[in-house]
Amino acid sequence: MIQRTVSFPSLRKLLLRAGCSKSASSKIGTYNCFASQSSPLPSHNPSYRDDEYADVDWDSLGFGLMPTDYMYITKCCEGQNFGQGQLSRYGNIELSPSAGVLNYGQGLFEGTKAYRKENGGLLLFRPEENAIRMKTGAQRMCMASPSIDHFVDALKQTVLANKRWVPPPGKGSLYLRPLLLGTGPVLGLAPAPEYTFLIFASPVRNYFKEGSAPLNLYVEENFDRASSRGTGNVKTISNYAPVLMAQIQAKKRGFSDVLYLDSDTKKNLEEVSSCNIFIAKGKCISTPATNGTILSGITRKSVIEIARDHGYQDGIYNRFWNHLSRAEQYHFRNSNGYY
């Protein structure tokens, strides 16, 4: 549907080319070119496995759940702050049948990754941006949320506890899934009285089976991903199940994923089921504006900043779908995608 008209190097390569290095203040660094700050590592650690890598066929790694050793968990009551959590073995959690997240969808999630460098060091990619986005989402969903420092420190604990699951350089990454859940019991529609902040991890490679190859995207005109003045701009769990029907139908037709239009006019490109989108032509890239229905992606923000540093012109605006020529629409519907 959207042709990759410029060969954009991978984000990780661009970051490394830009001279980013590991922070010296801890075992896990962040990309210093974005002025990320590292918080002190906790003094208490579980008994980690001594072997350097888990028993995984890294060459066959895809994007699927592969449970690791440890997860991080902490709780707080409504109106209070999250205290220091703890690492526990990965496993099931117990929930009341009347938990707010089960009955009314009061929950948020984030997604970020840890990478292994050639020298064995570990990198987190802009974790403070995920923390900020979770706090913004928690405010919208009337939830307590961890502080930015707490969020980042919890990510570091989780990565170090699962270090043997971080793939070798170039073989993938350790995907980290922070969850913020309304776990307290409610019956009537109201904020939950208790919240749980949890992080689990899984080694992964490419999200799409095509890998780094172009994608085929289906432009969806019958289903909406988000509506104006709704929650499309926060990463609430309730935004994702509704896209499954359109996604399944598109995949049955041979497409990789779905590209959505705005719900009000059906004139503007918005985003794909689970990622933002860029349109690239020559030395110019453009992406739809985050106007309340589009999630403000951290990769999106990073691509814009890096592209500017590498001489690309960027435009952030609404792209009119029905103003494209028939030839251009055919090109979108039938060519490969870059997001």
Side-chain angles (χ1 to χ4, degrees):
M1 295 293 294
I2 294 180
Q3 186 175 18
R4 177 161 55 180
T5 55
V6 57
S7 179
F8 231 78
S10 72
L11 183 60
R12 185 164 179 250
K13 289 181 179 178
L14 278 175
L15 286 165
L16 294 174
R17 186 191 303 170
C20 305
S21 60
K22 184 176 74 68
S23 170
S25 61
S26 74
K27 293 180 181 178
I28 297 180
T30 50
Y31 286 109
N32 289 335
C33 51
F34 295 111
S36 300
Q37 299 297 320
S38 298
S39 56
L41 286 169
S43 58
H44 176 266
N45 292 321
S47 55
Y48 305 129
R49 299 285 294 267
D50 292 331
D51 46 336
E52 184 177 359
Y53 288 110
D55 185 16
V56 176
D57 181 1
W58 302 112
D59 292 324
S60 300
L61 192 62
F63 197 97
L65 180 63
M66 183 179 294
T68 58
D69 297 324
Y70 294 96
M71 62 183 187
Y72 177 94
I73 190 166
T74 182
K75 297 184 178 184
C76 83
C77 293
E78 184 181 12
Q80 298 182 1
N81 297 322
F82 281 98
Q84 181 62 45
Q86 64 180 9
L87 292 163
S88 60
R89 300 294 296 190
Y90 178 89
N92 295 335
I93 61 173
E94 185 174 300
L95 285 179
S96 166
S98 58
V101 66
L102 297 181
N103 289 263
Y104 299 115
Q106 195 184 24
L108 298 161
F109 75 93
E110 280 295 327
T112 187
K113 295 177 181 179
Y115 300 89
R116 190 184 297 271
K117 296 181 67 177
E118 293 290 345
N119 64 4
L122 303 177
L123 294 173
L124 283 171
F125 179 65
R126 307 189 80 171
E128 70 286 348
E129 295 286 346
N130 295 91
I132 293 170
R133 190 166 65 181
M134 176 168 277
K135 286 187 71 69
T136 301
Q139 184 178 16
R140 175 65 177 84
M141 301 296 288
C142 302
M143 304 172 72
S145 63
S147 69
I148 295 173
D149 287 344
H150 185 176
F151 183 100
V152 174
D153 187 67
L155 282 176
K156 292 179 179 181
Q157 291 188 52
T158 307
V159 174
L160 290 179
N162 296 293
K163 182 178 179 180
R164 72 194 191 99
W165 296 91
V166 182
K171 300 290 187 180
S173 59
L174 184 68
Y175 182 82
L176 299 158
R177 172 60 63 84
L179 296 169
L180 184 60
L181 308 173
T183 48
V186 291
L187 185 59
L189 179 58
E194 178 189 82
Y195 297 94
T196 298
F197 175 51
L198 182 151
I199 305 174
F200 68 90
S202 177
V204 298
R205 208 155 188 178
N206 294 311
Y207 181 79
F208 291 100
K209 65 180 182 180
E210 292 88 348
S212 59
L215 306 177
N216 293 313
L217 300 179
Y218 179 80
V219 176
E220 179 57 66
E221 298 176 288
N222 295 318
F223 293 101
D224 298 327
R225 195 204 71 87
S227 60
S228 58
R229 296 173 293 278
T231 58
N233 62 331
V234 297
K235 208 168 177 66
T236 174
I237 61 175
S238 55
N239 285 345
Y240 290 85
V243 308
L244 293 176
M245 180 176 289
Q247 189 181 62
I248 290 171
Q249 291 180 0
K251 289 184 176 180
K252 286 181 178 178
R253 297 185 180 108
F255 292 92
S256 307
D257 210 330
V258 177
L259 174 59
Y260 289 91
L261 305 176
D262 74 292
S263 61
D264 290 337
T265 68
K266 295 295 182 183
K267 294 179 180 179
N268 304 317
L269 301 179
E270 288 212 325
E271 63 179 339
V272 185
S273 301
S274 57
C275 60
N276 299 126
I277 187 166
F278 285 84
I279 300 170
K281 185 176 182 180
K283 293 288 286 186
C284 180
I285 64 169
S286 60
T287 186
T290 52
N291 56 7
T293 57
I294 297 173
L295 188 68
S296 182
I298 297 162
T299 302
R300 174 186 181 276
K301 178 180 180 180
S302 303
V303 168
I304 292 171
E305 293 172 352
I306 295 169
R308 288 170 180 166
D309 289 343
H310 285 263
Y312 287 82
Q313 295 179 331
D314 65 89
I316 301 174
Y317 52 81
N318 291 328
R319 183 68 177 251
F320 292 100
W321 167 247
N322 66 351
H323 286 185
L324 297 176
S325 69
R326 290 184 179 275
E328 287 176 315
Q329 288 197 17
Y330 179 84
H331 176 73
F332 267 61
R333 290 185 184 280
N334 294 279
S335 53
N336 294 321
Y338 174 74
Y339 71 94

